Amino acid sequence: MLYILSKLLNFLTKPLFWLFILLVICILFKKTRKKILFITLIFLFVISNSFISSYVSKLWEPKRQKINKVYDIGIVLGGISSYDKQTASHNFNKEADRLIEAEQLYRQGYIKKILLSGGNGLIFNDGYIEADAMKQHLVKNGIPENDIIVENKSRNTKENALNSSLILKTTFPNGKFLLITSAKHIKRAKYCFDKFGINTTIFPTDCSPTYIQPRLDNLILPSVSAIETWEDLIHEWIGLLIYKISF
């Protein structure tokens, strides 16, 4: 039940949903229409401004530190792909850097094994198991199957941490773990793993640019990617708050 409620809350907190509500209010309340419309325009400018969204994102994301030791396990969290039944192919999204970085770290000798954590996060399960798909991708790229650990039951970050902790505490009780996930997501992920007794070093991926140059396009012109960035940030902020309340 809590899982379904979290999915509903995720929908209700999307900036475009708020924009829709503001427009509905404009239609319903004629006396305050001008005031609400002005607020709506300001809101639209903020959520579609790539300079603002990039700057806030950079403030939220932890900086990546240089790795100076070897880790027993690199933990890669799901949420990076979907499955196209018609073409029988895996479609990777913008968070796929998690898997790419893990593969590189393995080849460079910084992690000895890779733990892939992720099942199916849809309310109506379509049978796609993400960790199995990620393993298939790594094996095709020459990563030995013996060095890949699969946790394929998780539906969200909390379950990623819980189910992974059961494997790690049993198999690698004194291991050193590197947590590999998107920079926007890594604070929430780290919090969950800490709560389940797994101490990790973070390795953020798909980070925002360290320097954001103000230009005409990112200061004035609206951007769809800016709205997506705000969606990701709000999702992480509310998710972290819920976990801190529920743990």
Side-chain angles (χ1 to χ4, degrees):
M1 186 63 180
L2 183 61
Y3 175 73
I4 295 176
L5 288 175
S6 69
K7 289 292 184 181
L8 177 61
L9 183 61
N10 182 45
F11 170 76
L12 295 177
T13 56
K14 289 182 179 294
L16 287 180
F17 178 77
W18 300 350
L19 183 63
F20 174 76
I21 295 299
L22 285 170
L23 291 174
V24 170
I25 293 173
C26 283
I27 295 172
L28 296 178
F29 298 94
K30 294 181 179 180
K31 291 183 179 180
T32 58
R33 181 171 295 169
K34 288 184 179 180
K35 185 182 293 185
I36 299 299
L37 184 58
F38 178 75
I39 294 172
T40 302
L41 290 173
I42 294 298
F43 178 72
L44 179 59
F45 172 78
V46 172
I47 66 170
S48 64
N49 186 284
S50 59
F51 181 82
I52 296 175
S53 64
S54 296
Y55 185 77
V56 175
S57 184
K58 186 180 70 169
L59 292 177
W60 167 253
E61 297 173 6
K63 293 182 180 179
R64 181 190 293 184
Q65 304 296 323
K66 186 176 181 180
I67 296 180
N68 54 17
K69 62 180 180 181
V70 176
Y71 294 86
D72 297 296
I73 305 289
I75 306 167
V76 181
L77 303 188
I80 69 170
S81 66
S82 59
Y83 186 70
D84 188 331
K85 291 183 178 180
Q86 289 188 344
T87 60
S89 60
H90 310 298
N91 295 326
F92 290 101
N93 60 31
K94 57 187 174 64
E95 281 85 23
D97 282 10
R98 305 175 189 182
L99 191 60
I100 296 170
E101 296 276 12
E103 183 180 342
Q104 291 177 345
L105 290 169
Y106 175 85
R107 295 189 189 281
Q108 293 165 359
Y110 288 114
I111 55 178
K112 297 177 182 178
K113 293 181 181 292
I114 301 173
L115 189 157
L116 305 171
S117 178
N120 188 297
L122 299 176
I123 294 178
F124 302 103
N125 193 320
D126 61 358
Y128 177 63
I129 305 298
E130 190 168 18
D132 294 345
M134 290 193 289
K135 177 182 178 180
Q136 184 182 31
H137 174 81
L138 291 179
V139 171
K140 283 184 177 179
N141 282 277
I143 303 297
E145 194 168 353
N146 291 337
D147 287 340
I148 302 173
I149 304 166
V150 171
E151 182 287 296
N152 57 11
K153 304 298 182 184
S154 302
R155 299 174 298 173
N156 56 28
T157 305
K158 186 175 182 179
E159 292 183 7
N160 285 146
L162 171 60
N163 295 336
S164 296
S165 70
L166 298 176
I167 295 173
L168 296 173
K169 287 177 181 178
T170 301
T171 313
F172 301 92
N174 299 310
K176 295 181 177 65
F177 310 123
L178 188 68
L179 181 59
I180 306 167
T181 189
S182 302
K184 293 181 184 64
H185 177 237
I186 207 157
K187 288 184 179 179
R188 184 160 62 101
K190 169 70 172 171
Y191 178 82
C192 290
F193 275 85
D194 286 345
K195 283 296 182 178
F196 288 113
I198 300 297
N199 183 38
T200 61
T201 300
I202 61 172
F203 188 87
T205 66
D206 44 289
C207 306
S208 296
T210 54
Y211 174 71
I212 306 166
Q213 183 179 4
R215 304 185 309 270
L216 181 64
D217 60 336
N218 64 19
L219 288 174
I220 298 177
L221 298 179
S223 168
V224 173
S225 63
I227 299 175
E228 292 177 351
T229 298
W230 278 112
E231 282 192 5
D232 292 340
L233 288 170
I234 294 168
H235 176 74
E236 292 305 320
W237 296 339
I238 293 177
L240 182 58
L241 177 62
I242 291 173
Y243 285 165
K244 286 189 175 184
I245 294 172
S246 62
F247 263 108

